[in-house]
Amino acid sequence: MSDSTPFLKVNSVTRRFGGVVAVDNVSFELQRGELFGLIGPNGAGKTTLFNIITGLTAPTAGQINFRGQDITRFPPHRIATLGIARTFQNIRLWSNLSALQNVMIARHTHTRVGVVSGVLGLPGAAAEERKTRERALEILELLGLVDRLDERSRNLSYGDQRRLEIARALALEPQLLLLDEPAAGMNPNEKQTLSDFIRQLREQFDLTILIIEHHVPLVMGLCNRVAVLDFGELIALGDPFQVQNDPAVIEAYLGDETALDKTKPRTRVRK
Amino acid sequence: MDFGHLLQQILNGLSIGSVYAIFALGYTLVFSILRIINLSHGAVFTLGAYFTYTLTGEPFGFNGVLARAALPFGLPFPLAMLTGGLVAGLVGVAIERFAFRPLRERGADPLLTLVSSLGVAVVLVNVIQYLVGAEIYSYPGNVLNTFGNVPAAINFGSDTNAIPVRTVQIVIFIFSLIILALLTYFINRTKIGKALRAIAEDPVTASLLGINVDRFVLLTFFLSGFLGGLAGTLVGLSVSIAGPYFGIAFGLKGLAVIVLGGLGSIPGAMLGGLIIGLAEAFVPAELVAYKEVIAFALLFLILLIRPRGLLGRAAAQKV
Amino acid sequence: MSMNEFLSTYGALIVGMVLAAILALSLYLPLMAGQLSLASPGFYALGGYIAAVLSTKVLLQNGQAISPFPVHLLLFEMLLAGIIAGLLAVLVGVLALRLRGIYLALATIAFVEILRVLSLNLDITGGAIGIFSIPQPFTNAIQYLLIAAPLLLLSAAFVYRLERVRAGRALLAIREDELAADTMGINPTFYKVAAFTLGAALASMVGALSAHFLNTWNARQGTFDASIAYLAFVLVGGSRTFLGPIAGGMLLTALPEFLRAVAGIGGLPGWLSQFLREGRLIIDGLLIVLVTIYFPQGLITPDLFKRRRKAAEKKES
């Protein structure tokens, strides 16, 4: 892979649901090692875009390229094998399984042991089983969850569940990590801790991170570049300061956030 | 195939198809409002047929705990049928109250409700068998003679080229059409029908608008049971009551109808019923034994190719 | 009662209980992946027919069925039944397992019904009458345990181990949230089809054995009723641990016998004793409803073991 090949390339991606255009001809590129933010009002198409990248939804038009490979039509599990992991806006842990099990399962693609040798408990399988467990424990430790490893994940606190989702995604040993509103439900202190933590993650695991976030200041302080979606369209792309001062963005999103008059319907302003 | 034959088969197909449609509507009503498949519908269908039989004053057979018992009076058939339907409706309400509501209040997976309904079906059908045995019952002949002297068959052809169609089939078909029309009018034009549709769209909003969802759920189950009971009686009239299990087979076929037509779609249920009725009618004589398979083969096929059926809405999945 | 008397009276029941436990496990496998498959009876019937046809029409000596039937041939039949069922299951599974929840349950119901009607009408299956005079390898019913018991132990051990290794965890993940499992690198279709196929093969092997055990085989083996019965085994016994189906299968098979014995006690009103004798399905149905509402995980749950372990740990400290 040459240096000029973008790490992730979203190329003219469009997604229609019946009459609604959820994502409208969106294009951008990620460089390796970037911390990239995706912001926009609710319903702007951000999560849909995540779903397209991770293979949960197929785009109506356009392609997704990851490290030079066209992954547009790949099934989610194959995309995971290639090194893209994600968290979900509405937590999707395996709720009746323990925290440890949640993380161990995510080691699936990095373990090879077959069913037969596993069930028979052959030495190779047993060793790999041990390694899986150790690795999972390491990650839980890193996320501060190791003292709750046997708890059913549905019994964990909201904040812990969010962290467990990140732990699970990390267990996949991804190269690209997609975080969908990781700071939802956190107070300002927690958001700051999370922000530092995400930066630390990037360093420690050599990750490229794409974040959807609602809380604009978090994204502004954390990301190298930011893209703004509104009604499925990409209306701004650049470094945080640029974007923050882009009039179109202010009108569509930032202005809205500060406006107290929430009864006014958001209307689309055509340029 | 000559025209006479064709006409006969079409009429037969439409006749049985319209009964399938009535039966399937019971399923659809419940599914569209509550997103659950009520597999006890087939048992309620059976109960309706048996209730009507009892209400006509006929005695039971030799097996079962209630061997040879009979009511001391007998209602004329149309009245017995309606009453049987009403009682079936009440049974539907009882089933909802005891087997479904606890699950719904817990927000349980629809699959659990399906399983629960399966249990109810098994209980009901076997209780019938326990009480009255598994013999074949037929409604008293000349049921149609309540309204005067009606011939057993009507000739659609000429004297030389007779195309007889059993009057019963014609009556059933016409009656079913009336029921379907009434139901469509009810759902689309009356206030109650509108409320039901609102609940089907969005129960939370509906209740915020002042609609007493629980009461409408009961109404839905009553209607569904009533329709099922009616259908049971009609089938019993058309062929005979072939033992308590005839509802189970019908129930399974009803599933094929609603999946074909589209889960939750009322016009779909009607369309599905007619299609399967006609498909069965056109099975060539040599393959008559495989007639039963048609509905299930269609069910399987539809599930593979287009699970949402002909007129159903695609289910959206939220991530 | 002497041991011999006990074995001869209850031998058939014990074998029946063991076979029921294995059938319950065959339903448990797809259920581990969250798939409610009501298809086991279909494969059970298929296996039985394979054994019946082979032993009465194919594996003949001088034009007659071999009696006593050699055990190695019985094992061969079971293996063949497992393989054929497995292949059919892969085919059906790949087609039908894209469906979820209710749709899958309906598809499996349809599948079983299609098989049942086919078996009622094909010549080779003997039509409605079925196949009878299937040769026996053993003289006493209890001797079937020689094959049934190891099969149960093997399947139970397999499922027990499965839950503790990578493949089993993948199944659980699919059950809990298939979408998330997909996103985390687990191929749901592969695992669902695999679980379904294993369950089918197991049910088919039991069928092959049962054909000899019951001596006759017909379309009534693969009915919707049977689906209910197996479902009851797993739901009542416990759907979250491998011991559940085993317990459920054994209990619910023994229960009607027990009730029948109770019915024989003098002094019971006629309707009650008849109910106890014939009400097996009513009881199954009631149990299903009650368990779904009040014990959604069945009687034997993983929590039971956790609590006992915690209590033991408390005692030690």
Side-chain angles (χ1 to χ4, degrees):
Chain A
M1 182 183 95
S2 68
D3 269 338
S4 58
T5 316
F7 194 63
L8 177 74
K9 181 169 172 172
V10 176
N11 191 5
S12 304
V13 167
T14 301
R15 180 61 166 115
R16 277 194 204 93
F17 292 105
V20 179
V21 185
V23 178
D24 197 348
N25 201 12
V26 172
S27 298
F28 61 86
E29 289 173 11
L30 253 66
Q31 298 306 318
R32 180 134 185 227
E34 265 201 276
L35 258 169
F36 193 96
L38 192 58
I39 66 176
N42 270 329
K46 313 186 293 292
T47 300
T48 311
L49 193 54
F50 261 28
N51 290 344
I52 293 174
I53 296 175
T54 50
L56 288 168
T57 312
T60 320
Q63 297 99 34
I64 308 280
N65 272 292
F66 180 57
R67 303 175 66 207
Q69 197 177 12
D70 183 349
I71 64 168
T72 319
R73 305 256 165 235
F74 283 11
H77 58 267
R78 189 163 169 204
I79 294 181
T81 327
L82 290 174
I84 302 183
R86 74 173 286 177
T87 63
F88 294 91
Q89 188 174 18
N90 306 309
I91 296 179
R92 293 189 84 116
L93 291 168
W94 298 303
S95 37
N96 283 308
L97 303 181
S98 71
L100 180 64
Q101 279 175 309
N102 268 271
V103 179
M104 279 175 79
I105 291 175
R107 298 292 304 156
H108 189 93
T109 50
H110 290 280
T111 46
R112 277 283 147 257
V113 76
V115 180
V116 178
S117 37
V119 163
L120 289 175
L122 296 181
E128 201 184 63
E129 184 74 14
R130 242 176 294 128
K131 254 190 7 194
T132 305
R133 196 186 157 90
E134 276 163 21
R135 192 82 185 89
L137 286 172
E138 275 170 32
I139 297 177
L140 282 174
E141 176 112 43
L142 182 70
L143 272 284
L145 291 166
V146 80
D147 50 340
R148 272 166 301 251
L149 60 93
D150 269 332
E151 284 252 11
R152 245 184 229 167
S153 62
R154 61 163 6 143
N155 292 332
L156 296 175
S157 71
Y158 180 75
D160 281 349
Q161 285 189 26
R162 283 219 160 267
R163 277 186 293 159
L164 184 57
E165 260 215 334
I166 297 180
R168 186 178 65 169
L170 287 176
L172 208 65
E173 272 174 46
Q175 301 191 21
L176 173 62
L177 179 61
L178 272 54
L179 299 173
D180 197 340
E181 310 238 5
M186 291 186 182
N187 65 45
N189 271 332
E190 290 169 333
K191 288 194 206 225
Q192 187 53 45
T193 318
L194 179 72
S195 185
D196 296 333
F197 180 69
I198 293 178
R199 230 180 263 120
Q200 186 194 337
L201 276 182
R202 184 189 43 174
E203 296 304 320
Q204 193 168 347
F205 293 97
D206 194 17
L207 293 172
T208 308
I209 302 183
L210 177 54
I211 308 182
I212 291 179
E213 225 344 287
H214 215 71
H215 183 66
V216 177
L218 173 84
V219 162
M220 296 308 182
L222 178 64
C223 299
N224 305 123
R225 281 193 301 153
V226 172
V228 185
L229 288 187
D230 190 26
F231 285 110
E233 272 182 62
L234 183 66
I235 62 173
L237 173 61
D239 75 65
F241 186 71
Q242 272 181 305
V243 166
Q244 204 162 17
N245 293 307
D246 186 323
V249 171
I250 294 176
E251 174 128 37
Y253 180 55
L254 296 174
D256 219 19
E257 201 183 23
T258 54
L260 291 168
D261 186 359
K262 296 221 164 78
T263 59
K264 250 198 286 177
R266 285 177 55 235
T267 51
R268 185 190 200 122
V269 177
R270 286 225 166 260
K271 278 189 258 217
Chain B
M1 184 189 299
D2 64 296
F3 177 71
H5 241 106
L6 188 63
L7 184 64
Q8 245 179 349
Q9 267 167 307
I10 293 180
L11 285 173
N12 277 331
L14 288 178
S15 172
I16 191 67
S18 58
V19 180
Y20 285 159
I22 296 185
F23 177 72
L25 277 174
Y27 269 135
T28 301
L29 277 176
V30 169
F31 186 82
S32 65
I33 310 275
L34 293 170
R35 296 273 165 269
I36 62 179
I37 293 195
N38 175 14
L39 285 180
S40 65
H41 192 50
V44 173
F45 162 94
T46 316
L47 276 175
Y50 277 90
F51 285 145
T52 308
Y53 181 84
T54 321
L55 287 166
T56 58
E58 295 289 313
F60 295 123
F62 299 105
N63 296 316
V65 164
L66 294 178
R68 267 166 282 157
L71 280 181
F73 59 89
L75 296 174
F77 186 78
L79 194 55
M81 178 166 74
L82 279 174
T83 319
L86 289 175
V87 180
L90 291 175
V91 172
V93 170
I95 294 175
E96 137 68 12
R97 187 64 190 73
F98 293 113
F100 297 153
R101 187 181 291 190
L103 288 172
R104 206 172 61 253
E105 279 171 358
R106 264 203 338 236
D109 197 285
L111 206 53
L112 274 181
T113 315
L114 180 118
V115 172
S116 177
S117 71
L118 206 54
V120 171
V122 169
V123 171
L124 288 177
V125 167
N126 284 284
V127 164
I128 294 178
Q129 174 151 346
Y130 167 68
L131 289 177
V132 300
E135 295 142 57
I136 300 180
Y137 293 112
S138 298
Y139 293 116
N142 307 329
V143 136
L144 298 168
N145 286 345
T146 329
F147 298 110
N149 221 347
V150 176
I154 297 183
N155 189 355
F156 277 86
S158 58
D159 280 329
T160 44
N161 189 13
I163 309 173
V165 178
R166 287 173 62 212
T167 322
V168 161
Q169 302 284 61
I170 301 177
V171 170
I172 288 179
F173 181 49
I174 297 178
F175 181 73
S176 309
L177 282 184
I178 297 177
I179 295 279
L180 291 172
L182 282 175
L183 198 69
T184 314
Y185 177 79
F186 176 75
I187 296 281
N188 288 324
R189 296 297 167 95
T190 65
K191 265 176 72 178
I192 301 181
K194 284 212 179 89
L196 284 175
R197 280 185 295 142
I199 299 176
E201 274 292 329
D202 185 345
V204 177
T205 311
S207 73
L208 287 176
L209 289 173
I211 298 179
N212 185 339
V213 176
D214 269 339
R215 221 185 300 150
F216 276 97
V217 167
L218 289 177
L219 174 65
T220 307
F221 273 93
F222 176 78
L223 261 180
S224 164
F226 177 71
L227 289 172
L230 268 190
T233 308
L234 288 176
V235 172
L237 183 62
S238 165
V239 268
S240 65
I241 306 178
Y245 275 83
F246 93 124
I248 297 278
F250 221 79
L252 295 179
K253 227 183 269 189
L255 290 177
V257 169
I258 58 172
V259 171
L260 174 63
L263 282 173
S265 161
I266 289 180
M270 300 191 207
L271 188 61
L274 291 175
I275 292 180
I276 292 196
L278 284 171
E280 283 187 355
F282 278 97
V283 168
E286 319 86 66
L287 294 178
V288 125
Y290 292 97
K291 195 163 76 146
E292 294 301 306
V293 186
I294 292 207
F296 296 111
L298 270 175
L299 171 60
F300 199 73
L301 226 69
I302 288 283
L303 283 173
L304 292 184
I305 302 176
R306 192 184 154 103
R308 71 168 127 128
L310 295 170
L311 299 178
R313 283 174 295 170
Q317 208 185 23
K318 201 155 199 282
V319 178
Chain C
M1 190 189 282
S2 76
M3 180 55 110
N4 273 329
E5 278 175 12
F6 180 80
L7 284 181
S8 61
T9 327
Y10 292 107
L13 176 63
I14 295 176
V15 175
M17 284 164 66
V18 170
L19 292 178
I22 308 177
L23 279 172
L25 279 177
S26 82
L27 197 58
Y28 181 71
L29 275 164
L31 206 59
M32 278 173 81
Q35 312 254 280
L36 180 64
S37 152
L38 296 170
S40 277
F43 294 111
Y44 171 73
L46 177 67
Y49 274 117
I50 291 175
V53 168
L54 278 179
S55 58
T56 57
K57 298 191 181 143
V58 176
L59 300 170
L60 302 175
Q61 207 173 51
N62 306 324
Q64 292 272 47
I66 312 174
S67 187
F69 197 69
V71 173
H72 66 271
L73 281 184
L74 171 61
L75 290 175
F76 167 72
E77 282 176 356
M78 284 170 70
L79 187 64
L80 192 63
I83 293 176
I84 294 181
L87 290 172
L88 181 61
V90 171
L91 183 62
V92 171
V94 168
L95 291 176
L97 290 180
R98 292 173 296 145
L99 302 168
R100 308 238 179 105
I102 291 179
Y103 293 102
L104 175 68
L106 291 181
T108 53
I109 291 176
F111 170 71
V112 170
E113 276 299 299
I114 294 174
L115 278 187
R116 186 181 68 85
V117 174
L118 280 179
S119 68
L120 267 178
N121 291 298
L122 292 174
D123 276 332
I124 193 170
T125 57
I129 302 177
I131 302 179
F132 43 91
S133 296
I134 302 177
Q136 309 270 308
F138 303 115
T139 45
N140 287 326
I142 195 77
Q143 286 171 304
Y144 277 92
L145 272 188
L146 284 172
I147 304 193
L151 187 59
L152 174 61
L153 288 171
L154 282 175
S155 353
F158 177 78
V159 176
Y160 170 74
R161 283 294 302 160
L162 190 62
E163 284 174 357
R164 280 155 185 76
V165 295
R166 173 181 176 260
R169 280 194 295 265
L171 292 177
L172 296 181
I174 294 173
R175 181 187 73 199
E176 292 293 311
D177 189 331
E178 182 173 328
L179 209 85
D182 206 347
T183 321
M184 290 296 141
I186 297 173
N187 182 345
T189 309
F190 172 76
Y191 282 97
K192 288 195 290 188
V193 172
F196 182 72
T197 305
L198 282 176
L202 193 57
S204 180
M205 288 197 283
V206 175
L209 184 58
S210 299
H212 289 276
F213 177 59
L214 297 174
N215 194 240
T216 69
W217 200 255
N218 53 49
R220 278 182 52 237
Q221 310 298 339
T223 63
F224 193 57
D225 274 354
S227 302
I228 310 284
Y230 304 168
L231 191 62
F233 295 163
V234 181
L235 288 182
V236 172
S239 52
R240 293 285 160 130
T241 160
F242 81 103
L243 287 174
I246 297 177
M250 292 193 172
L251 236 93
L252 289 181
T253 309
L255 189 61
E257 288 307 316
F258 174 71
L259 291 178
R260 215 170 291 183
V262 170
I265 297 176
L268 281 181
W271 59 268
L272 184 58
S273 48
Q274 188 177 358
F275 175 75
L276 292 175
R277 249 187 291 266
E278 293 165 15
R280 179 214 184 131
L281 283 171
I282 300 183
I283 292 172
D284 273 351
L286 274 175
L287 281 175
I288 289 182
V289 177
L290 290 173
V291 161
T292 327
I293 299 178
Y294 298 110
F295 295 97
Q297 287 193 8
L299 293 174
I300 302 192
T301 61
D303 284 341
L304 269 175
F305 302 115
K306 264 203 197 149
R307 259 181 254 147
R308 283 182 69 224
R309 233 193 305 138
K310 284 211 176 111
E313 283 167 14
K314 259 198 189 155
K315 265 178 146 179
E316 286 171 24
S317 63

